[in-house]
Structure formats: C-alpha cells, structure tokens
Amino acid sequence: MTGPRFTPLAASLPATVPFVGPEAQERRMGRAFGARLGANESLFGPSPHAVQAMAQAAGDAWMYGDPEVHELRAAIAAHHGVTPAHVVAGEGIDGLLGYLVRLLVGAGDAVVTSDGAYPTFNFHVAGFGGTLHRVPYRDDREDPEALVAKAAAVGAKLVYFANPDNPMGSWHDAATVERMVAAMPEGCVLLLDEAYADLAPAGAVPAIAADDPRVIRMRTFSKGYGLAGLRVGYAIGAPDLVRAFDKVRNHFGLGRVAQAGAIAALADQAWLAGVKAKVVEARDRIAVIAGANGLRPLPSATNFVTVDCGRDGDFARRVLGGLIERGVFVRMPGVAPLDRCIRISCGREADLAVLAEMLPLALKAARG
Amino acid sequence: MTGPRFTPLAASLPATVPFVGPEAQERRMGRAFGARLGANESLFGPSPHAVQAMAQAAGDAWMYGDPEVHELRAAIAAHHGVTPAHVVAGEGIDGLLGYLVRLLVGAGDAVVTSDGAYPTFNFHVAGFGGTLHRVPYRDDREDPEALVAKAAAVGAKLVYFANPDNPMGSWHDAATVERMVAAMPEGCVLLLDEAYADLAPAGAVPAIAADDPRVIRMRTFSKGYGLAGLRVGYAIGAPDLVRAFDKVRNHFGLGRVAQAGAIAALADQAWLAGVKAKVVEARDRIAVIAGANGLRPLPSATNFVTVDCGRDGDFARRVLGGLIERGVFVRMPGVAPLDRCIRISCGREADLAVLAEMLPLALKAARG
C-alpha cells in the first residue's frame, strides 16, 4: 500500500514546530518549573469577571459559539471606534496570521519580515509556499525604512512588523509607524502585529484609519488580558480584507466559552489598567535583577524584558539552559546578534524572586 | 491605492459561509428560539465534571495550552487502544478537516464526497483548489461502492464518508465500512467522519487498524460529549499522516480550557452512556411526533432524526421556515432529493414539547 499523496508543498515542509511548550520541557525534566517566565503570558491572570464568564459559559458549552462572533466583534469595534465590519476574530493571532497569509500568499510570492521576528509568521509563510525576505534588526529594533525598501525591491504582498516588538521588547513611536504605512508600496499590506499594544506606553500606538487598505492590525487577549489559554485574537482592517477571512476561516473555531471570556475581559478595562501598572513594576524589578548580575536590560514596551547577556549566542544559550534546569522557564531570540539576549516575562513578586535566586547560579555556571 | 493582492485562488472563492448560526437568525427575528434543535448539539449538556474542569481551568487561562496536547492525546489514545502517535487533536473536526485537505489537496486534485454531505468539507476542498466529485446518496444513505468506484475513476486523493451520516442519520454496518477501506484505490485516503459514532448502535463502528494508511477517522467532543462550544475534535490515523498535521496546524489552537474540558469529558464515560440513552428516547419521541403529523421519520444512528416531509424540497423548506418563525431552530439537507426532509436534533422533553406544539402549525401553514 502506498501512503497518502501529500501535495508537493506539504511534502516539502519540515516537521519542525515553531515553539516547544514549557509542558514538554517539564515532562522531559520530570518536574514543574518554579517560575513560568518564558511565553510572555500574564502571570497577573485574567479579570475575575472573565473567569466568572468562562465558568458560566462552561455550563452552556453544549451550544456552538456564534460563527459570526457578533457580540464580541461589536464590543471590539466599540472599544476601538470602528465598525464590526472592520473586525475579524479568530483562534489567536496565530490563527489569524495563517488565514491572512493564506489569502495573500501563494507559491513564490514575496513576503518581508525582520530576521529574528515572530517564528510563527514565518511558519505560515513557508506553509503556503511564500518566499520570505528578511531584513536585519537595527539597534535591537525593527527597521521600518529597511522593511519598506525591501518590500518595494522584491514586490512583496505582505510585510510583517510588530510594534511593540517581540522578542526584543523595543518599539517605535506612532509617527514612525504612520510614516511606514504611508510609504507602503502599491498593493502591499502591512501586517501590524500589536499583540503587546495593550501594555505599551502612550505614543507607541499609531492612529490608523480603519478603512486604510494598506494595513491590518492584529490584537490579542493572550497578553494584557491574560487569556493565552483561551485563544482569542482579532484583526482590524478595511472591510474588504476583513470580509475575505470568511472565505477561509474555521467559522465555528471560536467557541462559546472563548467568546464569553473575551467579552468579559474587554469590558474590564480597569483590570487591564491594573495589569499594565504591575507590568511596569515587574519590568523595573527584572531590570534591577539583571543589573545586579551585571547584565543589561533593554528598554521594553511589553510584558517582558529582553536582557543582554553581554557575550555571544552560545553564552546566552548557556545562561538560558542554566535557568531552565534550575526551574526558570525563559526563552531567547533565535537569530544573531539578537541571540546574545534572553527574554524574561513579567511575573509576580514570587516568580521574580525565583529568578533573582537562580540567575546568579545560572550565570556562574555559564561562565564556568 | 490598490487593495490587497489576493491569491488567484482566494480571489476566486465565494464569500458564502457553510452555515448561518442560530444566533444570526435570532438577531434577525428579534427574539430567541424556543427550542434549539438545528445544529445537532447535545441539549443534555456536558458532563458536570467537564463543566467543573473548565471552570477551574478558567482561572489558569493566562497560560497557553500545551501545544503538544500531551495529556488529552494520551487519554484519547488509551480510550481507543492506540498510541498518542496515532492521535492529533484540533479545533473541532472542522479545523482538522481543513488541515487534512490542506495536506493532501492542491489545485485540481480530485476529491470525492456524497452529494448533500457535510458542506464544511466541501468548503475546505474548494478553499484549497481541489476538484470535488459528488456521488448521489442511495436510499438516503451514502453509497460506499459508488464512492470507491468514483475515487478510482477520477484518481481521487481523498474520499469523505460519514458514518453515521449527517444530514440523513443513516449508517452502514462495520463490515461494510471495513470493505470500503479495503477497496480504497492506491494512494487514496478515506476520511471517515465519525462525529456521531459515540451515539451509534453497536455494530456501526468498524474496527480499523490504527496504522492503516488508507483511512483517517475523525471524532469530536461536540456531539455525544456535549461540548460543541469548546471546539475540540481529534483524528486517529497512521503516525506518518498524523505527524504531518504538525506541518500546518495552529500549534496553540487548542487552549488550556478546551484541553481541560475534553480530558474531563472523556473520563466521564458514564455521562456519555446516560446521554446515549437519552438520545435513544428523544429519537423515539421525535419519531412519534413526526408520525402523529403524518410525516415519516428516517432511522437514525445519531443525535438527530431526519424527517421526510413527503413532498418536494420547496414544501420541506416551507415547513422549515414555519418552524423557525415559530421559534423552533431546525435545519435541512441542502440537496435534492434529500431536501424533502427536515433534520431535528434530539432534545429534552421541554424542547420536544415545543416541537410537538409547533410542527402541526408549521405543516398547516406549509400546506397553505
């Protein structure tokens, strides 16, 4: 018997996965992490109102979620001052990235991103046969001018740009992003990943006309709202582009529990403001811990701090490994020269106390 | 400014959606349905243990779900007597259908299904550019011999076959399905949609070697387990095919709440057995209601009863419309001659009392 006949594209794809979860590491180590600071989750948790809404929706989970996601999209639209026709919600930004790439990118189509930016975007571009062109970071920040220039040079259909950025935590001000949108080549869409925008300082989030066909913004309930385990993201864009998601999306992909939790989370802006304040405190604390160990914390507009370990990638990987084996889950950028850094998510006092205890030991072992 | 440059395939796809949700109908009518009997949801609800597990996981929803879905896959594997390497879990069967089609079906590739079978499968085939070949139902059942013959004739890479069937509720015995697997043409995969298998009578669910590369089975927590609003489905197949899903799936698409609910639901087989008994009772009750109104209920191995309205599609559509405007959410097959029927999900006594009250009025109006 022959096996299944995969498409040539599917057959050509590597079986690698974008991220290994901390659970897999815990299974391998045979014990749980003492501090979970690697996935930029919100250790401050979701709004209690969201928890209650999910618990209540659990009893109603026998009903499919509304495939039009009407109520949540209406709430998102009201929150951002757009209409529901500008909003598509889906299974996290990861899911929406896949749908957007599928709509725009076919075999050999050019796509631009930064070298070291979000791997899951690259996973989707490869998954639909696109050709990815990478631009280096500049001073640990994405380089808007270089991204636009590359897009023009290669005739890109899509450019990925995260603001604030992951994995570096850096950001550009609103005016810079607005100039980038204005400079997009004809027929090229700017995918503005704003996963961390809820935690960014004033001035880092641009005002963009929702009808602008040159840009689509993506947001998530996974970061500031503390609902990574619910999987709800959304995109804001021109209605023509937003409507096209209906051609390819998993229409019942957002369940009833997910929709209920997201609606309640969005309504509790006071909780989000509280989280933002705690994130600022935690960033400062991580910076102090890093500094006390002779490491340089990079400025951050996100719920994590990227810490320059001061040497090369091999050294940073040893520091990372030392933290992981001491029960501190952290991650790091995958590409040089960013990989001289490790990335530490904001956490509660107790989590950061574990970090403070283990970092000197990990460093000592790494310097070995 | 030009708009986004969609792929030729994306540009060619219709903007239609596979299903309109009952919530959209309720918004249009300005009131809620009195009985929600259209989507084959389980009105008997999920296991209380699953509800509790979801409520508890809600507080932990700040953590991403395990991208390897390790614990749930292990539980599924144990339940079915296979290994976790035979199991992939995802965002409902709908999500898994999309991934499977993406892996196997490219532009112009031949796919076979029954004319009137699950529209979401067709949506995915069209969405990846496949060419769909349809075989008629035979005596209100899918026609295994005709499906296999068509697959051989067109060189299909994939055949869709639901057992028990939706929308007709009919089924084939295990031996027939096993013969169908054995007769699959070289290099053609049988997609065996067993969404309703948890509710089927003994003898309708075939024994298939999990390593058989000719077949992949799909199951769901949306039907018998009563968790349609959680969106968890799984597929059992040969490890090579199962592993390929990692190339394209949304790795974090199954959230922590979803995984927790599904694990608890699977563990409560007593609840499932109770639901199955209630489904049998409700099927009998729907049959009695139909018969009392001069309609013919078709035999069902599912949690719904397809009722032959005895005339043509226009008449059945009028009956359906009359029920909907009277607050009874039901659906019907979309293709003649199946569309002489309406499809009524099993419900609790109160739900079916609404049906019993409204069906005569809807029929009277339809007969004009």
Side-chain angles (χ1 to χ4, degrees):
Chain A
M1 288 183 284
T2 56
R5 286 176 287 163
F6 294 104
T7 67
L9 175 58
S12 76
L13 294 174
T16 53
V17 303
F19 290 104
V20 174
E23 292 80 10
Q25 295 174 293
E26 289 176 332
R27 287 189 291 271
R28 206 154 42 221
M29 296 189 299
R31 60 194 155 81
F33 281 115
R36 187 172 163 118
L37 300 171
N40 302 342
E41 298 159 331
S42 184
L43 285 82
F44 312 109
S47 157
H49 293 121
V51 174
Q52 197 186 341
M54 289 183 276
Q56 185 163 340
D60 291 335
W62 60 270
M63 289 182 275
Y64 286 101
D66 175 11
E68 296 178 16
V69 198
H70 183 268
E71 195 181 342
L72 175 59
R73 284 170 55 232
I76 290 167
H79 179 70
H80 289 287
V82 300
T83 78
H86 295 95
V87 178
V88 56
E91 305 92 333
I93 287 182
D94 283 2
L96 293 168
L97 286 176
Y99 296 136
L100 180 66
V101 171
R102 179 172 164 193
L103 286 169
L104 298 180
V105 178
D109 282 343
V111 178
V112 171
T113 188
S114 302
D115 194 19
Y118 194 45
T120 304
F121 177 72
N122 304 353
F123 168 81
H124 289 305
V125 172
F128 288 103
T131 300
L132 201 58
H133 300 269
R134 295 178 171 87
V135 162
Y137 276 63
R138 183 190 181 100
D139 300 331
D140 295 330
R141 302 201 300 170
E142 291 202 273
D143 186 339
E145 289 78 14
L147 287 163
V148 171
K150 178 64 81 174
V154 300
K157 293 173 110 178
L158 184 62
V159 173
Y160 178 88
F161 179 70
N163 192 57
D165 176 59
N166 174 26
M168 300 309 284
S170 53
W171 71 101
H172 288 278
D173 64 18
T176 302
V177 180
E178 287 158 17
R179 275 197 306 274
M180 190 180 176
V181 172
M184 289 300 288
E186 278 288 303
C188 181
V189 172
L190 178 66
L191 161 47
L192 181 55
D193 183 342
E194 297 188 326
Y196 297 95
D198 298 314
L199 303 163
V205 181
I208 295 173
D211 285 317
D212 194 322
R214 297 169 299 187
V215 59
I216 184 167
R217 307 167 81 152
M218 296 207 181
R219 299 288 189 104
T220 183
F221 286 92
S222 297
K223 303 301 177 187
Y225 291 104
L227 290 171
L230 202 61
R231 297 277 66 203
V232 187
Y234 59 96
I236 301 174
D240 278 356
L241 179 54
V242 162
R243 201 179 307 118
F245 280 74
D246 276 343
K247 297 179 170 189
V248 298
R249 71 186 179 92
N250 182 359
H251 285 264
F252 289 87
L254 264 194
R256 181 164 292 260
V257 181
Q259 294 185 36
I263 289 167
L266 187 67
D268 194 352
Q269 289 295 313
W271 180 265
L272 180 62
V275 167
K276 199 168 162 177
K278 287 177 191 162
V279 162
V280 170
E281 277 176 39
R283 284 199 302 243
D284 290 346
R285 176 92 177 97
I286 294 170
V288 166
I289 294 168
N293 285 277
L295 307 181
R296 187 171 68 94
L298 304 187
S300 170
T302 66
N303 70 346
F304 61 87
V305 177
T306 299
V307 173
D308 186 341
C309 294
R311 293 166 59 173
D312 63 3
D314 285 341
F315 178 70
R317 274 183 286 278
R318 287 204 302 277
V319 176
L320 184 97
L323 284 170
I324 286 172
E325 70 187 40
R326 287 171 179 80
V328 182
F329 169 50
V330 286
R331 287 198 176 122
M332 62 181 287
V335 169
L338 313 182
D339 69 350
R340 71 189 193 283
C341 302
I342 60 172
R343 198 193 67 180
I344 303 170
S345 303
C346 290
R348 301 154 296 199
E349 187 50 44
D351 308 302
L352 298 186
V354 176
L355 173 71
E357 181 188 349
M358 298 303 174
L359 183 57
L361 305 177
L363 277 170
K364 190 175 170 195
R367 284 172 183 143
Chain B
M1 286 184 286
T2 57
R5 287 176 287 164
F6 295 105
T7 68
L9 175 58
S12 76
L13 294 174
T16 52
V17 303
F19 290 104
V20 174
E23 292 80 9
Q25 294 174 294
E26 289 177 332
R27 287 190 291 271
R28 206 152 44 221
M29 297 190 300
R31 60 195 154 80
F33 282 116
R36 187 173 163 118
L37 300 171
N40 303 340
E41 297 159 330
S42 184
L43 285 82
F44 311 110
S47 156
H49 293 120
V51 174
Q52 196 187 339
M54 289 183 276
Q56 185 164 340
D60 292 334
W62 60 270
M63 287 181 276
Y64 285 100
D66 175 11
E68 297 179 16
V69 198
H70 184 268
E71 195 182 343
L72 175 59
R73 285 171 55 233
I76 290 167
H79 180 71
H80 289 288
V82 299
T83 78
H86 295 95
V87 178
V88 55
E91 307 92 333
I93 287 180
D94 284 2
L96 293 167
L97 287 176
Y99 296 136
L100 180 67
V101 171
R102 180 173 164 193
L103 286 170
L104 298 179
V105 179
D109 283 341
V111 178
V112 172
T113 188
S114 301
D115 194 19
Y118 193 46
T120 303
F121 177 72
N122 305 353
F123 168 82
H124 288 306
V125 173
F128 289 102
T131 300
L132 201 59
H133 299 269
R134 294 176 172 86
V135 163
Y137 276 64
R138 183 191 182 100
D139 300 331
D140 295 331
R141 301 201 301 171
E142 292 202 271
D143 186 339
E145 289 79 12
L147 287 164
V148 171
K150 177 64 79 175
V154 301
K157 292 172 112 177
L158 185 62
V159 173
Y160 178 90
F161 180 70
N163 192 56
D165 178 59
N166 173 27
M168 300 310 283
S170 52
W171 70 102
H172 289 279
D173 63 18
T176 302
V177 181
E178 287 159 17
R179 276 198 305 275
M180 191 177 175
V181 172
M184 289 300 288
E186 277 288 303
C188 181
V189 173
L190 179 67
L191 160 48
L192 182 55
D193 182 344
E194 297 188 324
Y196 297 95
D198 298 313
L199 303 162
V205 181
I208 295 173
D211 284 316
D212 195 321
R214 298 170 300 187
V215 60
I216 183 167
R217 309 167 81 153
M218 295 208 182
R219 298 289 187 101
T220 183
F221 287 92
S222 297
K223 302 302 178 187
Y225 291 104
L227 290 172
L230 203 60
R231 298 279 65 203
V232 187
Y234 59 95
I236 300 174
D240 278 356
L241 180 54
V242 161
R243 200 178 308 118
F245 280 74
D246 277 343
K247 297 179 170 189
V248 298
R249 70 186 181 91
N250 181 358
H251 286 264
F252 289 87
L254 265 194
R256 182 164 292 260
V257 181
Q259 294 186 36
I263 289 167
L266 187 67
D268 193 352
Q269 289 295 313
W271 180 263
L272 180 63
V275 167
K276 197 167 165 180
K278 288 176 191 163
V279 161
V280 170
E281 277 177 40
R283 284 200 301 243
D284 291 346
R285 176 92 176 98
I286 294 170
V288 167
I289 294 168
N293 285 276
L295 307 181
R296 186 171 70 91
L298 305 186
S300 170
T302 66
N303 71 344
F304 60 87
V305 178
T306 300
V307 172
D308 187 341
C309 292
R311 291 167 60 174
D312 63 4
D314 286 342
F315 179 71
R317 274 184 285 279
R318 288 204 301 278
V319 176
L320 183 97
L323 283 170
I324 286 172
E325 70 187 39
R326 286 171 179 81
V328 183
F329 169 50
V330 286
R331 287 198 175 124
M332 63 183 287
V335 169
L338 313 181
D339 70 349
R340 70 191 193 283
C341 303
I342 60 172
R343 196 193 68 178
I344 304 171
S345 304
C346 291
R348 300 152 296 198
E349 187 51 42
D351 308 301
L352 299 184
V354 176
L355 173 71
E357 181 188 348
M358 298 303 176
L359 183 58
L361 305 176
L363 277 169
K364 192 177 168 193
R367 285 171 181 141

